[in-house]
């Protein structure tokens, strides 16, 4: 167990962080270059004021017409993203491992709070899954890779919950947890999860075109 | 027959007494728990003091119960009578003290490639 644990919680963490951060930088640069070549007007229309105005309206719940029309989805998706980002960054177990390795630490959530937030993420993933299967207009746009991405995102939360509660086989599950977390990090720049890095630019461009050119709201 | 039952009973009572006394005695510690952790997040770490030290071949109490002065370990002094937190103080933030405990236990386990290293192996629910 020592050897496997040390490998997945040591070198593999480095590999996944390098691929995650390096991948994000690479995707941003190559996308910027592609836009310059194929769609240079993007650069002319981009306008900081209107971009920020639009981003502002879309990161606040029920600030857009579309969100008002889909209240349940809005609540689920905001709860999902908030928990998704806060839990791994502020989980005590993660903080303590970082402290032991690099002697740095920061604020953390109580284990019981993190536990509830983990369940919110898993519950939201189930909601997204059911929605994809049940709603015709969503089903139409769904490809098998969408299910795979959903599984990649849910996996660290399910396995982390399992390990924390020490259900049967929790030692092996702990190893799988670390692996699944690493897979998720690496998947962010190279799959549709890259909306994490592109969101601000797609939204910002929409805001710029609608605000500065068409003089209408885009929310 | 009666005598047999009596012998059995006294053996049983003696056995229970031995178990109870060893379980509660200071000598044979079964878990590590520092009173400085006010709100506990995890169960106390399982630690069978005597068995551990026999197996790990630790004879010097100062290996864990050390005393430091001006950044140097005092070789002939030990601190069995004190909790770690008396020196490694908690100032609102438990993280530094948790790390002291972890590095003392898990750090050695990593070095020797033996003993528990995952959360659930020590903080058994
Ligand atoms: C990259 C390396 C990672 C390592 C070494 C790691 C390590 C751990 C450890 C040791 C635990 C505690 C298990 C226990 O209490 O026994 C844990 C729990 C958890 N981790 Fe990770 N983790 C990693 C990545 C991630 C990622 C990327 C995510 C999410 C995106 C994540 C989400 C969680 C969750 C949700 C829990 C359980 C929280 C709960 O239910 O209380 N982890 N992790
Ligand atoms: C700042 C970061 C992020 C922003 C602004 C963002 C924004 C969004 C938005 C706008 C949606 C579409 C649903 C909606 O209208 O709310 C969405 C869906 C989703 N996001 Fe994110 N996201 C971020 C980070 C992440 C990360 C880090 C992950 C996973 C690693 C993630 C996983 C997902 C998933 C799985 C869905 C869709 C569920 C489905 O369609 O089946 N997001 N996100």
């Amino acid at each position: 167990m020592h050897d496997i644990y040390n490998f997945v919680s040591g070198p593999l963490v480095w590999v996944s962080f390098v691929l995650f951060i390096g991948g994000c930088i690479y995707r941003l640069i190559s996308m910027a270059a592609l836009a310059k070549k194929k769609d240079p007007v993007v650069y002319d229309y981009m306008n900081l004021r209107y971009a920020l105005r639009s981003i502002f309206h879309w990161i606040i719940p029920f600030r857009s017409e579309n969100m008002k029309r889909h209240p349940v989805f809005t609540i689920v998706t905001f709860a999902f993203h908030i928990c998704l980002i806060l839990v791994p960054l502020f989980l005590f177990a993660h903080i303590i491992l970082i402290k032991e390795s690099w002697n740095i630490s920061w604020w953390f959530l109580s284990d019981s709070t993190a536990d509830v937030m983990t369940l919110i993420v898993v519950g939201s993933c189930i909601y997204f899954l059911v929605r994809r299967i049940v709603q015709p207009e969503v089903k139409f746009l769904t490809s098998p890779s969408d299910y795979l991405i959903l599984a990649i995102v849910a996996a660290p939360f399910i396995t982390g919950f399992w390990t924390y509660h020490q259900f049967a086989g929790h030692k092996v599950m702990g190893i799988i947890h670390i692996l699944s977390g690493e897979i998720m990090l690496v998947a962010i720049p190279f799959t549709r999860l890259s909306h994490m890095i592109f969101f601000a630019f797609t939204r910002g461009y929409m805001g710029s075109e609608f605000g500065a050119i068409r003089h209408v709201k885009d929310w | 027959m009666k005598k047999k039952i009596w012998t059995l009973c006294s053996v049983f009572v003696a056995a229970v007494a031995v178990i109870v006394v060893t379980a509660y005695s200071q000598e044979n510690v079964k878990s590590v728990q520092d009173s400085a952790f006010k709100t506990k997040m995890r169960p106390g770490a399982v630690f069978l003091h005597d068995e551990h030290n026999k197996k790990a071949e630790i004879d010097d109490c100062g290996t864990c119960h050390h005393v430091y002065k001006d950044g140097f370990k005092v070789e002939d002094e030990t601190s069995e009578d004190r909790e770690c937190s008396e020196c490694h103080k908690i100032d609102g933030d438990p993280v530094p003290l948790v790390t002291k405990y972890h590095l003392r236990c898990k750090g050695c386990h990593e070095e020797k490639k033996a003993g528990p290293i995952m959360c659930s192996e020590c903080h058994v629910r």
Side-chain angles (χ1 to χ4, degrees):
Chain A
M1 214 51 150
H2 271 254
D3 289 337
I4 307 178
Y5 177 82
N6 286 339
F7 181 63
V8 296
S9 68
L12 276 191
V13 175
W14 284 105
V15 170
S16 63
F17 271 85
V18 167
L19 287 176
F20 166 53
I21 297 168
C24 286
I25 295 170
Y26 166 78
R27 288 294 314 271
L28 279 173
I29 292 173
S30 60
M31 189 64 88
L34 186 69
K36 190 144 216 157
K37 202 169 120 206
K38 291 210 160 159
D39 207 3
V41 282
V42 166
Y43 287 90
D44 304 329
Y45 286 1
M46 210 48 142
N47 174 310
L48 187 64
R49 193 181 96 104
Y50 289 113
L52 289 177
R53 190 180 71 165
S54 177
I55 291 168
F56 173 78
H57 279 90
W58 282 92
I59 59 168
I60 297 186
F62 299 108
R63 268 270 173 164
S64 74
E65 200 44 46
N66 194 46
M67 292 190 225
K68 285 175 198 149
R69 256 185 253 162
H70 305 103
V72 177
F73 186 73
T74 301
I75 291 166
V76 174
T77 198
F78 270 92
F80 166 78
H81 282 97
I82 291 166
C83 297
L84 174 83
I85 291 166
L86 294 187
V87 172
L89 286 178
F90 300 107
L91 186 72
F92 189 77
H94 293 175
I95 304 265
I96 214 73
L97 289 179
I98 291 167
K99 170 78 180 175
E100 284 168 24
S101 306
W102 302 319
N103 201 22
I104 47 167
S105 67
W106 52 86
W107 182 84
F108 58 87
L109 293 158
S110 80
D111 276 355
S112 45
T113 311
D115 213 28
V116 172
M117 292 170 79
T118 300
L119 286 177
I120 291 177
V121 172
V122 176
S124 310
C125 286
I126 294 170
Y127 174 84
F128 295 141
L129 176 70
V130 171
R131 182 173 162 271
R132 282 196 181 277
I133 296 169
V134 173
Q135 278 191 22
E137 71 273 26
V138 187
K139 192 175 180 183
F140 181 70
L141 292 171
T142 297
S143 67
S145 73
D146 292 317
Y147 294 118
L148 182 64
I149 288 169
L150 208 48
I152 288 175
V153 173
F157 291 86
I158 296 167
T159 56
F161 187 82
W162 192 294
T163 310
Y164 174 73
H165 287 278
Q166 299 179 12
F167 298 145
H170 58 263
K171 282 186 206 167
V172 176
M173 202 52 100
I175 307 276
I176 299 174
H177 167 70
I178 300 173
L179 274 172
S180 67
E182 286 156 352
I183 290 172
M184 195 203 85
L185 285 176
V186 175
I188 290 174
F190 302 109
T191 65
R192 221 168 40 84
L193 296 177
S194 59
H195 66 267
M196 178 180 146
I197 45 176
F198 291 134
F199 164 82
F201 298 98
T202 43
R203 191 77 262 153
Y205 177 73
M206 290 286 258
S208 304
E209 188 180 316
F210 279 72
I213 315 294
R214 303 186 192 188
H215 301 291
V216 286
K217 296 183 194 169
D218 71 321
W219 56 84
Chain B
M1 189 63 196
K2 218 172 186 179
K3 208 173 165 192
K4 235 183 186 168
I5 292 177
W6 267 112
T7 334
L8 246 125
C9 278
S10 34
V11 167
F12 179 73
V13 170
V16 169
V18 167
I19 290 169
V20 168
V21 168
T22 42
Y24 285 91
S25 73
Q26 279 288 320
E27 265 63 57
N28 199 3
V29 172
K30 296 202 154 173
S31 73
V32 180
Q33 260 167 312
D34 198 307
S35 64
F37 297 123
K38 288 285 180 296
T39 46
K40 293 193 58 73
M41 294 174 81
R42 303 268 166 150
V46 173
F47 180 66
L48 305 171
H49 183 273
D50 296 357
E51 281 90 327
H52 174 268
N53 298 341
K54 209 153 134 203
K55 204 168 166 188
E57 293 166 5
I58 300 173
D59 301 319
D60 176 12
C61 305
T63 306
C64 298
H65 302 283
H66 54 223
V67 176
Y68 274 80
K69 252 192 201 110
D70 308 320
F72 291 100
K73 190 171 166 189
V74 185
E75 280 310 331
D76 45 6
E77 248 183 86
T78 56
S79 56
E80 294 92 313
D81 53 342
R82 275 170 274 168
E83 279 191 301
C84 306
S85 56
E86 280 182 44
C87 297
H88 303 287
K89 290 219 166 39
I90 278 194
D91 269 325
D93 182 11
V95 169
L97 179 59
V98 173
T99 310
K100 289 287 175 202
Y101 274 106
H102 284 179
L103 292 180
R104 173 64 44 209
C105 302
K106 186 182 145 180
C108 190
H109 296 164
E110 291 275 18
E111 250 174 58
K112 307 273 190 238
K113 284 199 174 289
I117 44 175
M118 294 170 80
C119 322
S120 59
E121 291 180 287
C122 289
H123 303 281
V124 179
R125 278 183 205 282

